Amino acid sequence: MLLLTCPCCGVSAEETEFTNGGEAHLKRFGPGSSDADYEAYMFARKNPRGVHFERWRHAYGCGKWFLMARDTMTLEVYGAYKAQTTEPPADIQAKIKARRPEWEGYK
Amino acid sequence: MSHRLGTGGRLIDRARPMDFTFNGKSMRGYAGDSLGAALLGAGQVLVGRSFKYHRPRGIVASGAEEPNALVGLGEGQRFEPNQRVTTTELFSGLKAVSQNHWPSLEFDVGAVNAKLWRFFPAGFYYKTFISPRPLWKHVYEPIIRRSAGLGKAPDAETRDADRYEQLYAYCDVIVAGGGVAGLKAARQAADEGKRVILTEQNPHFGGRAVVDGIEVEGQAAEDWVKAQVAALQAMPNVTVLDRTMVSGVYDHGYVLAYQRVADHTPGAEKPRHRLWRVRAGQVISATGAIERPLSFAGNDIPGVMLASAIRDFVVNYAVSPGKKVAIVTNNDDAYRTALALHAVGVTVPAVIDARKEVTGDLPAKARAAGIRVIEDCAVRYVEGGKSVTGVQLCRFNSDGGAVIETLACDALGMSGGWSPVVHLWSHCGGKLTWDEGRALFRPDANRPPLGHDGQGFVTCVGASNGEFDDEGEAAMLPVWLMPAQASYELRAKAWLDPQNDVKVSDVQLAAKEGYASVEHTKRYTTLGMATDQGKLSNINGLAILSDALGQPIPQTGTTTFRPPYTPISIGAIGGEARGGIFQPLRKTPIYDWHMAQGAYWEPVGHWRRPYCYPKTGETHGDAVKREINQVRKSVGLLDASTLGKIIVKGPDAGRFMDMLYTNMMSNLKVGKCRYGLMCNENGFLSDDGVVARLSEDTFLCHTTSGGADRIHGWMEDWLQCEWWDWKVHVVNLTEQYAQIAVVGPNARKVIEKVGADFDLSAESFPFMDWKEGKIGGIEARAFRISFSGELSYEIAVPASKGQAFWDKLMAAGAEFGVMPYGTEALHVMRAEKGFIMIGDETDGTVIPQDLGLNWAISKKKEDFLGKRGMEREAMVSPDRWQLVGLETLDGSVLPDGALAPLPGKNDNGQQETQGRVTSTYFSPTLGKGIAMGIVHNGPKRMGEVIQFQSAAGGTVAARIVDPCFYDKAGEKQNV
C-alpha cells in the first residue's frame, strides 16, 4: 500500500485515502476533432515500466485532484504537484533525470 | 521411540501437567510445551499422512517451517484445520485430530497410492486427466478433490465463536525477530530515541542462542536476553510484542504483524488474533535462518528430523525423538545436536558426515565425548515404515550400490546447512545474492526494496543476513543429493517436499520434460506449494533443478517470496468487520420510522431503502400492489432522501452545466425545473435527474441515489483538472436534506392540510416549477416533479426536520388513507410511465439516443461531455438496439434480462440475438405484465411480435409497443 502525500493539504496518508485517475497531462479532444485525436485522447494510454505521471484525488481527505510522478517499477514517488499545471514542474523533472538518467522526458 | 527425559527442559513447568487428546486418545504434557513437544514426549511419532501418497509422516522441525505435522484443532465453532503442532502452545483440554487419512492414522487405505508411486510422476494430474475433456468436470475433478487435500474445512453451518481485531500503529523501526540480532537492533534504535516495535513470533525471546547456550557480550545468552527484553519493555518508546509474527512487508513500509493473543487460552475474554497494520520507517528483518534437510532415500520416515529441531526439543522441552539418535550432516553445526543428546544421556550411535575429512572444533568435542564420527559417508536408505528402525550407510561419492554398514537407531537428525529467512527482504522486491562458500542465498545489500523516497527500507541483520556465529567451524560441503550419484531407485524415495510428496526424481523429470524455469517447475511438480511454502524444500529443489539443467544455482534463481510468511487466519484479516459493522450503513433521517413499520429493506449502494412495507399476512408482492393502488387512487409518501443533491454555484455555473448535461441548462429560468442527462466522454449515459435553478448563479442537480458521490467527483474532476479557470464551485448536499415525495391525486390536499405559506394551486405552482416557503412551520423547498405520472410534490426539508415533517404528512394524509411506499412501487410506477432507470435501461454501453431521449440532447451546443463520442460511426448507426415497450401476448411477466434469440450463431459461436429485457414488472394498474427492453431497430417495429427467453427455458411471445403504458398525455401529473 503506497504512502502518498497530498500537495494540496500536505497530509501523508495511506493509498486507500486516495483514488487514482489514470494518466496525467492528457489533452481533451471534443467535437470537431479527428478520429485519431479522439482515439488517442480516450483510449491510447501509456503503460510504462518506470517513470509515469498520474492523476490522483485525495478523495477521503481534502477532495483535491493532484498530479504525481511515480516509478511504476520501484514505486518511488518523485513528487506530487497541483492539477492546475500543463506540464510537470522543472524541479520534479530534474529530480527524475537525476534518479533515472535514461529517462526520455514526460511527453 | 520418542520420550520425555527425566530432567531439564528450559521452557516447561513439570509442576503443571496438562491433559490433552490426539485423535481422541488422552495424553499428558506440561505447561510451556508446544503441542509437538507434548506429542513427542508422549511417544507419538506418527502425526499425519502425506498429500499424494498418504505416507506416514512425523514431526520434522520445531517451528514455523514444519511441513508435516498439521492437525485439526478444537471442535465445532472453534475447529480449525492445518495447524502446525510446532507452533501450537499446549493448553489443558486441547483437542487435536490428525489429517488426510481414512479410516485411521495407523491404517490408511490411500497409502496404496504409495505402492503405485511409479504411476504418479511429476505432472501426473495434468498428464492423466487431460482427455477426454468432458470427463474432467464431472468425473476426474470430484474424485481428485475427495482423495486429495489436507484438513477439512470447518462445517459450513458453524460460525467462528472468536473475536478478532485490527490495530493501526506507526513507528520509526519495526524489528521482526526477537533473537540476539533482533534484540540488539531494537536496543540500538531505541537508544537513539526512535519509536520501535519489536516482534517475536514465539512466546519466548532469544532465538537459537538460548538453546545453544552461547555467551553474548560476556553473559550467558539466557541472562543477556532476559535483561535486554526487560530493558526494552521498560522504555516508553518501545513496544515489545511476543507471539507476533511479521507476516508481510508491503509497499512503502507497510507491514502486517499477526499477534496470536489468545490461541493458548481459548475462551478467554480476549480477541483471539490481532492484526497490526503498521506503517514503519524502517523494517529490520532479524528472522534468523532455517536448517535445510538432506535428500536421501527414506528421509520422510517419521523420526527423521532436522538436527536443530532435535536440539530444540531436547533443550527446551526435555523431549528426545528416540533412544538411539544418529546424525547425518555436511557441516559442523549438527555436532551441537550430537553433543546436546549425549549430554542428556541419549545414545548417539554415530555422526555420519559427507565431508572427506572432519576437522572442526565441534567434531573434536564430539569425538572427545566418545561419539563416533564416520567421514565421507552418506545415508543410503532409511529403514522403517511408521518410524525409523535403522539407516543403511554408503560412501558419499557413490551411487549407493554398496552398503558399507547398517546402523541401528530409532531417530535420525539431518543437517544440510542453513538458509537465511529472507522472506521479509524479498516481499517488496529486495534481491538476493548467492553465497558460494556457505551455499546459501542472502540479501544483496545493493538491491534493497525501495520506499516512497527511493531509499531502501528493509535491513537484514544476523542469520537472516547470512551472518553466522561460526568461528572455529570448518567449511560445510554443499550436498544436494545423498549419496552424490544416487541411483534412480534411491532418488525416487528421496523427498524434497514431504507435504506435497515431491521427490528428487520428480524435479529431474520436470527438467527432462523441458521445465527450465523454477517458477514453472514449482507449479508442475507442486514443489514448495504446500502450506509451508517450501521453507524446507525450495533451496534443495532448485539445486536439483540447476544440476539437471547443468547451470549454476544463482542462474536458476528462487521462486517469488510472497506474504504471508506463514498462514494467518481469515478472522484476523476480517478483523471487526463482520455482522452489523461489516460495512458502514447510510440511513435516511426517517430510517428508524421505516424500521418500526417493519419495512423490507433493499440495499442501494451503502443506503438501505424500504423495498415495501408488508402488513401482517401480506407477501412482498401483495404489499407492492397495495402501495401502487393507493398512490394511483389517492396519495402515498416516498422517502426520497437518498436522491443526490449537488449545488453548482458561481458566475460560470450555467456554462459548466451546459458542459455536464447533454441538454441546455443555462437558459433554465430561476424557479423552474428541467430533466437532464449526463454522459461520459464516450457518449454513454451515466446519470440523470431533475435540475432546479435556485438563482441566477445557482443550480441544484438531483442525481440518482447511487450516483451522487460519483457525479460529485466527476464535477470536481472537470473543474479542478480541465476548466480550473472557470468560476464555479460544487457542493454535495445529499445528506443535508430529507426529501419526501407526496404523490397521488390527493397530494395537494395533504400538503394544504399541513399548511403551506405559499400558493399550491396549479396556476401559481405548475408542473416543473419549484417553490420555497414554510410547510407546517418547517422550512421547505417543494419541486413539482413526478417519477410516477401522478400529481407529485417532492419536498426537501433540513435533515433534522425530516422525521417531524414526515409525521405531519402522515397525520394530515390519514383521511386520504395515506401510506408509505417503497422502491419497488416506485420502480413499477416509473415503468408504467416508460421512464428509464439508470442501471436498468443503461449498462455503460447505451447512449441517450438508444432510449428515445434525443429530445434531451442539445443540437445548439457546440460542446458537452460525450458529444464527440456520440458522433462516432457505431453510435450513429441505424442498427442499434433501441428502447421499446414489451407486452407478452399471454399477459405474463417477462424474465428480467431475457434475451430475444434469433436463429444462427455470431462470429464467436454464440446464439444470435436481437434484443433484451431491461425492466419487467407486473403492473397492478394494468393488471398484466409490462416490460421495457432494447430491441434492434425497435421503434420502427411497433406492433411486431418477437420471441424472448422464458423462465421455463423455452420462449415467450411479446409485442413491441410504446414504452409509455400509462397516461401518455401526462394529464394526471400536470394538474
mmCIF file of all heavy atoms in Angstrom, chain A residues 1-3 14 28 30-31 33 35 38 41 55 64-65 75-77 84 99, chain B residues 251-252 254 279 452 454 681-682 713 717 720-721 724 862-863 868-869 872:
data_model
loop_
_atom_site.group_PDB
_atom_site.id
_atom_site.type_symbol
_atom_site.label_atom_id
_atom_site.label_comp_id
_atom_site.label_asym_id
_atom_site.label_seq_id
_atom_site.Cartn_x
_atom_site.Cartn_y
_atom_site.Cartn_z
ATOM 1 N N MET A 1 0.845 -1.188 0.000
ATOM 2 C CA MET A 1 0.000 0.000 0.000
ATOM 3 C C MET A 1 0.882 1.241 0.000
ATOM 4 O O MET A 1 1.703 1.426 0.880
ATOM 5 C CB MET A 1 -0.904 -0.022 1.219
ATOM 6 C CG MET A 1 -1.749 1.214 1.279
ATOM 7 S SD MET A 1 -3.368 1.018 2.009
ATOM 8 C CE MET A 1 -3.096 -0.126 3.329
ATOM 9 N N LEU A 2 0.701 2.068 -1.008
ATOM 10 C CA LEU A 2 1.550 3.244 -1.161
ATOM 11 C C LEU A 2 1.305 4.254 -0.042
ATOM 12 O O LEU A 2 0.222 4.321 0.544
ATOM 13 C CB LEU A 2 1.256 3.921 -2.503
ATOM 14 C CG LEU A 2 1.422 3.056 -3.753
ATOM 15 C CD1 LEU A 2 1.082 3.873 -5.005
ATOM 16 C CD2 LEU A 2 2.829 2.506 -3.854
ATOM 17 N N LEU A 3 2.334 5.027 0.228
ATOM 18 C CA LEU A 3 2.228 6.138 1.176
ATOM 19 C C LEU A 3 2.323 7.407 0.330
ATOM 20 O O LEU A 3 3.364 7.674 -0.276
ATOM 21 C CB LEU A 3 3.388 6.061 2.171
ATOM 22 C CG LEU A 3 3.422 7.130 3.254
ATOM 23 C CD1 LEU A 3 2.245 6.948 4.205
ATOM 24 C CD2 LEU A 3 4.726 7.033 4.051
ATOM 25 N N GLU A 14 -2.398 6.843 3.705
ATOM 26 C CA GLU A 14 -2.457 5.564 3.006
ATOM 27 C C GLU A 14 -3.086 5.738 1.635
ATOM 28 O O GLU A 14 -3.967 6.575 1.450
ATOM 29 C CB GLU A 14 -3.341 4.582 3.800
ATOM 30 C CG GLU A 14 -2.926 4.352 5.238
ATOM 31 C CD GLU A 14 -1.754 3.393 5.352
ATOM 32 O OE1 GLU A 14 -1.354 2.821 4.327
ATOM 33 O OE2 GLU A 14 -1.240 3.227 6.459
ATOM 34 N N ARG A 28 -7.712 17.207 -23.945
ATOM 35 C CA ARG A 28 -9.056 16.789 -24.333
ATOM 36 C C ARG A 28 -9.324 17.128 -25.802
ATOM 37 O O ARG A 28 -9.015 18.228 -26.254
ATOM 38 C CB ARG A 28 -10.101 17.491 -23.450
ATOM 39 C CG ARG A 28 -11.531 17.137 -23.828
ATOM 40 C CD ARG A 28 -12.541 17.665 -22.822
ATOM 41 N NE ARG A 28 -13.878 17.246 -23.222
ATOM 42 C CZ ARG A 28 -14.767 18.024 -23.849
ATOM 43 N NH1 ARG A 28 -14.470 19.279 -24.122
ATOM 44 N NH2 ARG A 28 -15.959 17.557 -24.204
ATOM 45 N N GLY A 30 -12.569 17.293 -28.219
ATOM 46 C CA GLY A 30 -14.030 17.278 -28.223
ATOM 47 C C GLY A 30 -14.563 17.289 -29.642
ATOM 48 O O GLY A 30 -13.900 16.834 -30.580
ATOM 49 N N PRO A 31 -15.790 17.830 -29.787
ATOM 50 C CA PRO A 31 -16.434 17.870 -31.106
ATOM 51 C C PRO A 31 -15.538 18.555 -32.141
ATOM 52 O O PRO A 31 -14.841 19.519 -31.823
ATOM 53 C CB PRO A 31 -17.694 18.702 -30.845
ATOM 54 C CG PRO A 31 -17.984 18.507 -29.404
ATOM 55 C CD PRO A 31 -16.659 18.377 -28.735
ATOM 56 N N SER A 33 -12.941 17.191 -33.520
ATOM 57 C CA SER A 33 -11.596 16.608 -33.583
ATOM 58 C C SER A 33 -11.600 15.395 -34.509
ATOM 59 O O SER A 33 -12.644 14.794 -34.778
ATOM 60 C CB SER A 33 -11.123 16.214 -32.183
ATOM 61 O OG SER A 33 -12.023 15.293 -31.600
ATOM 62 N N ASP A 35 -10.810 11.528 -35.798
ATOM 63 C CA ASP A 35 -10.952 10.230 -35.143
ATOM 64 C C ASP A 35 -9.667 9.844 -34.421
ATOM 65 O O ASP A 35 -9.699 9.304 -33.314
ATOM 66 C CB ASP A 35 -11.308 9.140 -36.173
ATOM 67 C CG ASP A 35 -12.788 9.188 -36.541
ATOM 68 O OD1 ASP A 35 -13.527 9.973 -35.908
ATOM 69 O OD2 ASP A 35 -13.186 8.447 -37.460
ATOM 70 N N TYR A 38 -9.244 11.889 -31.213
ATOM 71 C CA TYR A 38 -10.218 11.456 -30.212
ATOM 72 C C TYR A 38 -9.814 10.098 -29.644
ATOM 73 O O TYR A 38 -9.856 9.867 -28.436
ATOM 74 C CB TYR A 38 -11.612 11.386 -30.837
ATOM 75 C CG TYR A 38 -12.649 10.815 -29.901
ATOM 76 C CD1 TYR A 38 -13.182 11.604 -28.876
ATOM 77 C CD2 TYR A 38 -13.078 9.495 -30.013
ATOM 78 C CE1 TYR A 38 -14.120 11.080 -27.997
ATOM 79 C CE2 TYR A 38 -14.012 8.966 -29.142
ATOM 80 C CZ TYR A 38 -14.538 9.759 -28.136
ATOM 81 O OH TYR A 38 -15.457 9.236 -27.268
ATOM 82 N N TYR A 41 -6.952 10.488 -27.260
ATOM 83 C CA TYR A 41 -7.404 11.105 -26.012
ATOM 84 C C TYR A 41 -8.165 10.119 -25.140
ATOM 85 O O TYR A 41 -7.974 10.041 -23.917
ATOM 86 C CB TYR A 41 -8.273 12.319 -26.351
ATOM 87 C CG TYR A 41 -9.247 12.759 -25.283
ATOM 88 C CD1 TYR A 41 -8.810 13.092 -23.997
ATOM 89 C CD2 TYR A 41 -10.606 12.876 -25.576
ATOM 90 C CE1 TYR A 41 -9.717 13.512 -23.031
ATOM 91 C CE2 TYR A 41 -11.508 13.295 -24.612
ATOM 92 C CZ TYR A 41 -11.061 13.609 -23.336
ATOM 93 O OH TYR A 41 -11.953 14.019 -22.384
ATOM 94 N N ARG A 55 -2.805 11.012 -12.367
ATOM 95 C CA ARG A 55 -3.769 11.850 -11.656
ATOM 96 C C ARG A 55 -4.217 11.094 -10.401
ATOM 97 O O ARG A 55 -4.500 9.902 -10.451
ATOM 98 C CB ARG A 55 -5.005 12.082 -12.529
ATOM 99 C CG ARG A 55 -4.802 13.011 -13.695
ATOM 100 C CD ARG A 55 -5.791 12.767 -14.858
ATOM 101 N NE ARG A 55 -7.073 12.209 -14.498
ATOM 102 C CZ ARG A 55 -8.127 12.930 -14.077
ATOM 103 N NH1 ARG A 55 -8.061 14.233 -14.004
ATOM 104 N NH2 ARG A 55 -9.262 12.339 -13.774
ATOM 105 N N LYS A 64 -9.129 17.228 -3.168
ATOM 106 C CA LYS A 64 -8.487 17.834 -4.341
ATOM 107 C C LYS A 64 -7.821 16.786 -5.243
ATOM 108 O O LYS A 64 -7.261 15.808 -4.783
ATOM 109 C CB LYS A 64 -7.414 18.829 -3.888
ATOM 110 C CG LYS A 64 -7.963 20.040 -3.172
ATOM 111 C CD LYS A 64 -8.770 20.920 -4.097
ATOM 112 C CE LYS A 64 -9.214 22.182 -3.386
ATOM 113 N NZ LYS A 64 -10.592 22.546 -3.732
ATOM 114 N N TRP A 65 -7.911 17.078 -6.520
ATOM 115 C CA TRP A 65 -7.137 16.313 -7.504
ATOM 116 C C TRP A 65 -5.724 16.872 -7.518
ATOM 117 O O TRP A 65 -5.510 18.060 -7.312
ATOM 118 C CB TRP A 65 -7.744 16.462 -8.895
ATOM 119 C CG TRP A 65 -8.948 15.596 -9.107
ATOM 120 C CD1 TRP A 65 -10.232 15.966 -8.919
ATOM 121 C CD2 TRP A 65 -8.968 14.238 -9.552
ATOM 122 N NE1 TRP A 65 -11.077 14.918 -9.206
ATOM 123 C CE2 TRP A 65 -10.319 13.843 -9.600
ATOM 124 C CE3 TRP A 65 -7.987 13.313 -9.915
ATOM 125 C CZ2 TRP A 65 -10.716 12.572 -9.996
ATOM 126 C CZ3 TRP A 65 -8.380 12.044 -10.312
ATOM 127 C CH2 TRP A 65 -9.734 11.678 -10.350
ATOM 128 N N LEU A 75 8.315 1.930 -7.454
ATOM 129 C CA LEU A 75 7.297 2.603 -6.648
ATOM 130 C C LEU A 75 7.810 3.875 -5.978
ATOM 131 O O LEU A 75 7.166 4.429 -5.099
ATOM 132 C CB LEU A 75 6.683 1.666 -5.600
ATOM 133 C CG LEU A 75 6.093 0.368 -6.143
ATOM 134 C CD1 LEU A 75 5.399 -0.406 -5.015
ATOM 135 C CD2 LEU A 75 5.095 0.631 -7.252
ATOM 136 N N GLU A 76 8.966 4.344 -6.392
ATOM 137 C CA GLU A 76 9.468 5.609 -5.851
ATOM 138 C C GLU A 76 8.560 6.750 -6.312
ATOM 139 O O GLU A 76 8.115 6.792 -7.456
ATOM 140 C CB GLU A 76 10.893 5.856 -6.367
ATOM 141 C CG GLU A 76 11.468 7.177 -5.879
ATOM 142 C CD GLU A 76 12.935 7.362 -6.244
ATOM 143 O OE1 GLU A 76 13.555 6.413 -6.779
ATOM 144 O OE2 GLU A 76 13.453 8.462 -5.988
ATOM 145 N N VAL A 77 8.283 7.658 -5.382
ATOM 146 C CA VAL A 77 7.481 8.843 -5.712
ATOM 147 C C VAL A 77 8.444 10.006 -5.929
ATOM 148 O O VAL A 77 9.182 10.382 -5.020
ATOM 149 C CB VAL A 77 6.484 9.158 -4.583
ATOM 150 C CG1 VAL A 77 5.729 10.437 -4.896
ATOM 151 C CG2 VAL A 77 5.517 7.997 -4.400
ATOM 152 N N GLN A 84 -3.478 21.958 -11.580
ATOM 153 C CA GLN A 84 -3.636 23.095 -12.479
ATOM 154 C C GLN A 84 -2.305 23.449 -13.136
ATOM 155 O O GLN A 84 -1.808 24.565 -13.015
ATOM 156 C CB GLN A 84 -4.211 24.283 -11.715
ATOM 157 C CG GLN A 84 -5.622 24.039 -11.175
ATOM 158 C CD GLN A 84 -5.623 23.218 -9.899
ATOM 159 O OE1 GLN A 84 -4.671 23.228 -9.144
ATOM 160 N NE2 GLN A 84 -6.694 22.482 -9.675
ATOM 161 N N ARG A 99 17.669 10.821 -10.879
ATOM 162 C CA ARG A 99 17.483 9.444 -10.403
ATOM 163 C C ARG A 99 17.490 8.445 -11.550
ATOM 164 O O ARG A 99 17.891 7.299 -11.388
ATOM 165 C CB ARG A 99 16.148 9.336 -9.654
ATOM 166 C CG ARG A 99 16.066 10.144 -8.380
ATOM 167 C CD ARG A 99 16.779 9.486 -7.228
ATOM 168 N NE ARG A 99 16.185 8.202 -6.875
ATOM 169 C CZ ARG A 99 16.822 7.221 -6.238
ATOM 170 N NH1 ARG A 99 18.077 7.390 -5.889
ATOM 171 N NH2 ARG A 99 16.221 6.078 -5.950
ATOM 172 N N ASP B 251 4.428 -2.299 0.150
ATOM 173 C CA ASP B 251 4.926 -1.050 -0.421
ATOM 174 C C ASP B 251 5.118 0.034 0.630
ATOM 175 O O ASP B 251 4.268 0.235 1.495
ATOM 176 C CB ASP B 251 3.949 -0.518 -1.471
ATOM 177 C CG ASP B 251 3.687 -1.524 -2.571
ATOM 178 O OD1 ASP B 251 4.537 -2.415 -2.766
ATOM 179 O OD2 ASP B 251 2.638 -1.427 -3.225
ATOM 180 N N HIS B 252 6.196 0.767 0.490
ATOM 181 C CA HIS B 252 6.443 1.986 1.259
ATOM 182 C C HIS B 252 6.391 1.768 2.774
ATOM 183 O O HIS B 252 5.886 2.609 3.509
ATOM 184 C CB HIS B 252 5.437 3.081 0.861
ATOM 185 C CG HIS B 252 5.629 3.541 -0.562
ATOM 186 N ND1 HIS B 252 4.881 4.536 -1.135
ATOM 187 C CD2 HIS B 252 6.486 3.148 -1.519
ATOM 188 C CE1 HIS B 252 5.267 4.727 -2.382
ATOM 189 N NE2 HIS B 252 6.237 3.893 -2.639
ATOM 190 N N TYR B 254 4.745 -0.497 4.612
ATOM 191 C CA TYR B 254 3.519 -1.006 5.223
ATOM 192 C C TYR B 254 3.787 -2.437 5.665
ATOM 193 O O TYR B 254 4.291 -3.248 4.889
ATOM 194 C CB TYR B 254 2.378 -0.943 4.208
ATOM 195 C CG TYR B 254 1.029 -1.312 4.769
ATOM 196 C CD1 TYR B 254 0.460 -0.550 5.781
ATOM 197 C CD2 TYR B 254 0.317 -2.400 4.282
ATOM 198 C CE1 TYR B 254 -0.787 -0.872 6.289
ATOM 199 C CE2 TYR B 254 -0.927 -2.732 4.779
ATOM 200 C CZ TYR B 254 -1.477 -1.968 5.786
ATOM 201 O OH TYR B 254 -2.707 -2.286 6.283
ATOM 202 N N ARG B 279 2.713 1.207 9.800
ATOM 203 C CA ARG B 279 3.467 1.969 8.807
ATOM 204 C C ARG B 279 4.807 2.267 9.471
ATOM 205 O O ARG B 279 4.866 2.986 10.471
ATOM 206 C CB ARG B 279 2.693 3.245 8.445
ATOM 207 C CG ARG B 279 3.295 4.036 7.323
ATOM 208 C CD ARG B 279 3.322 3.300 6.007
ATOM 209 N NE ARG B 279 2.067 3.296 5.278
ATOM 210 C CZ ARG B 279 1.983 2.939 3.991
ATOM 211 N NH1 ARG B 279 3.040 2.593 3.295
ATOM 212 N NH2 ARG B 279 0.807 2.931 3.402
ATOM 213 N N HIS B 452 9.044 5.088 -0.669
ATOM 214 C CA HIS B 452 8.494 6.190 -1.464
ATOM 215 C C HIS B 452 9.575 7.199 -1.845
ATOM 216 O O HIS B 452 9.469 7.885 -2.855
ATOM 217 C CB HIS B 452 7.372 6.890 -0.699
ATOM 218 C CG HIS B 452 7.825 7.578 0.546
ATOM 219 N ND1 HIS B 452 8.055 8.925 0.589
ATOM 220 C CD2 HIS B 452 8.137 7.101 1.769
ATOM 221 C CE1 HIS B 452 8.467 9.242 1.808
ATOM 222 N NE2 HIS B 452 8.519 8.156 2.541
ATOM 223 N N GLY B 454 12.631 6.395 -2.610
ATOM 224 C CA GLY B 454 13.653 5.776 -3.446
ATOM 225 C C GLY B 454 14.787 5.161 -2.661
ATOM 226 O O GLY B 454 15.762 4.680 -3.252
ATOM 227 N N GLU B 681 -17.402 10.734 -21.578
ATOM 228 C CA GLU B 681 -16.815 11.205 -22.831
ATOM 229 C C GLU B 681 -16.996 10.221 -23.991
ATOM 230 O O GLU B 681 -16.771 10.550 -25.142
ATOM 231 C CB GLU B 681 -15.333 11.529 -22.631
ATOM 232 C CG GLU B 681 -15.090 12.900 -22.004
ATOM 233 C CD GLU B 681 -15.237 14.048 -23.002
ATOM 234 O OE1 GLU B 681 -16.366 14.311 -23.470
ATOM 235 O OE2 GLU B 681 -14.202 14.672 -23.325
ATOM 236 N N ASN B 682 -17.404 8.989 -23.677
ATOM 237 C CA ASN B 682 -17.744 8.043 -24.735
ATOM 238 C C ASN B 682 -19.129 8.313 -25.302
ATOM 239 O O ASN B 682 -19.526 7.705 -26.285
ATOM 240 C CB ASN B 682 -17.717 6.613 -24.185
ATOM 241 C CG ASN B 682 -16.351 5.984 -24.329
ATOM 242 O OD1 ASN B 682 -15.792 5.984 -25.432
ATOM 243 N ND2 ASN B 682 -15.814 5.469 -23.242
ATOM 244 N N GLY B 713 -17.783 13.689 -7.678
ATOM 245 C CA GLY B 713 -16.369 13.528 -8.028
ATOM 246 C C GLY B 713 -16.097 13.893 -9.480
ATOM 247 O O GLY B 713 -15.072 14.496 -9.811
ATOM 248 N N ASP B 717 -13.610 16.728 -10.809
ATOM 249 C CA ASP B 717 -12.549 16.370 -11.742
ATOM 250 C C ASP B 717 -12.463 17.402 -12.868
ATOM 251 O O ASP B 717 -11.407 17.966 -13.147
ATOM 252 C CB ASP B 717 -12.845 14.969 -12.298
ATOM 253 C CG ASP B 717 -11.666 14.383 -13.059
ATOM 254 O OD1 ASP B 717 -10.695 15.120 -13.327
ATOM 255 O OD2 ASP B 717 -11.716 13.185 -13.386
ATOM 256 N N GLN B 720 -11.464 20.932 -11.451
ATOM 257 C CA GLN B 720 -10.103 21.073 -10.944
ATOM 258 C C GLN B 720 -9.044 20.819 -11.998
ATOM 259 O O GLN B 720 -7.962 21.386 -11.953
ATOM 260 C CB GLN B 720 -9.865 20.106 -9.770
ATOM 261 C CG GLN B 720 -10.672 20.420 -8.520
ATOM 262 C CD GLN B 720 -10.359 19.427 -7.418
ATOM 263 O OE1 GLN B 720 -9.250 18.950 -7.293
ATOM 264 N NE2 GLN B 720 -11.365 19.124 -6.616
ATOM 265 N N CYS B 721 -9.347 19.928 -12.945
ATOM 266 C CA CYS B 721 -8.294 19.459 -13.843
ATOM 267 C C CYS B 721 -8.417 19.968 -15.281
ATOM 268 O O CYS B 721 -7.458 19.872 -16.038
ATOM 269 C CB CYS B 721 -8.251 17.930 -13.859
ATOM 270 S SG CYS B 721 -8.000 17.228 -12.235
ATOM 271 N N TRP B 724 -10.101 24.788 -14.816
ATOM 272 C CA TRP B 724 -9.800 25.327 -13.485
ATOM 273 C C TRP B 724 -9.890 26.846 -13.428
ATOM 274 O O TRP B 724 -9.877 27.426 -12.364
ATOM 275 C CB TRP B 724 -8.439 24.818 -12.989
ATOM 276 C CG TRP B 724 -7.242 25.251 -13.806
ATOM 277 C CD1 TRP B 724 -6.712 26.500 -13.833
ATOM 278 C CD2 TRP B 724 -6.437 24.448 -14.646
ATOM 279 N NE1 TRP B 724 -5.620 26.528 -14.655
ATOM 280 C CE2 TRP B 724 -5.415 25.281 -15.178
ATOM 281 C CE3 TRP B 724 -6.458 23.100 -15.023
ATOM 282 C CZ2 TRP B 724 -4.439 24.812 -16.055
ATOM 283 C CZ3 TRP B 724 -5.478 22.642 -15.888
ATOM 284 C CH2 TRP B 724 -4.497 23.488 -16.400
ATOM 285 N N GLU B 862 -22.216 23.769 -28.921
ATOM 286 C CA GLU B 862 -21.021 23.361 -29.650
ATOM 287 C C GLU B 862 -20.362 22.160 -29.011
ATOM 288 O O GLU B 862 -19.737 21.339 -29.672
ATOM 289 C CB GLU B 862 -20.006 24.515 -29.673
ATOM 290 C CG GLU B 862 -20.271 25.511 -30.768
ATOM 291 C CD GLU B 862 -19.231 26.609 -30.781
ATOM 292 O OE1 GLU B 862 -18.146 26.409 -30.211
ATOM 293 O OE2 GLU B 862 -19.534 27.669 -31.358
ATOM 294 N N ASP B 863 -20.478 22.089 -27.685
ATOM 295 C CA ASP B 863 -19.734 21.051 -26.969
ATOM 296 C C ASP B 863 -20.498 20.687 -25.709
ATOM 297 O O ASP B 863 -21.173 21.529 -25.107
ATOM 298 C CB ASP B 863 -18.337 21.592 -26.595
ATOM 299 C CG ASP B 863 -17.376 20.508 -26.139
ATOM 300 O OD1 ASP B 863 -17.767 19.315 -26.181
ATOM 301 O OD2 ASP B 863 -16.241 20.847 -25.748
ATOM 302 N N ARG B 868 -18.655 14.427 -28.612
ATOM 303 C CA ARG B 868 -17.764 13.864 -29.620
ATOM 304 C C ARG B 868 -17.933 12.345 -29.703
ATOM 305 O O ARG B 868 -17.940 11.756 -30.788
ATOM 306 C CB ARG B 868 -16.303 14.228 -29.287
ATOM 307 C CG ARG B 868 -15.254 13.624 -30.236
ATOM 308 C CD ARG B 868 -15.434 14.129 -31.652
ATOM 309 N NE ARG B 868 -14.470 13.564 -32.596
ATOM 310 C CZ ARG B 868 -14.618 12.392 -33.224
ATOM 311 N NH1 ARG B 868 -15.680 11.635 -32.967
ATOM 312 N NH2 ARG B 868 -13.714 11.968 -34.082
ATOM 313 N N GLY B 869 -18.103 11.713 -28.539
ATOM 314 C CA GLY B 869 -18.263 10.253 -28.505
ATOM 315 C C GLY B 869 -19.496 9.797 -29.267
ATOM 316 O O GLY B 869 -19.477 8.780 -29.958
ATOM 317 N N ARG B 872 -19.453 9.161 -33.197
ATOM 318 C CA ARG B 872 -18.718 8.069 -33.824
ATOM 319 C C ARG B 872 -19.631 7.204 -34.679
ATOM 320 O O ARG B 872 -20.841 7.099 -34.426
ATOM 321 C CB ARG B 872 -18.046 7.196 -32.747
ATOM 322 C CG ARG B 872 -16.843 7.872 -32.133
ATOM 323 C CD ARG B 872 -16.269 7.050 -31.021
ATOM 324 N NE ARG B 872 -17.183 6.977 -29.874
ATOM 325 C CZ ARG B 872 -17.000 6.152 -28.848
ATOM 326 N NH1 ARG B 872 -15.966 5.327 -28.857
ATOM 327 N NH2 ARG B 872 -17.839 6.150 -27.848
#
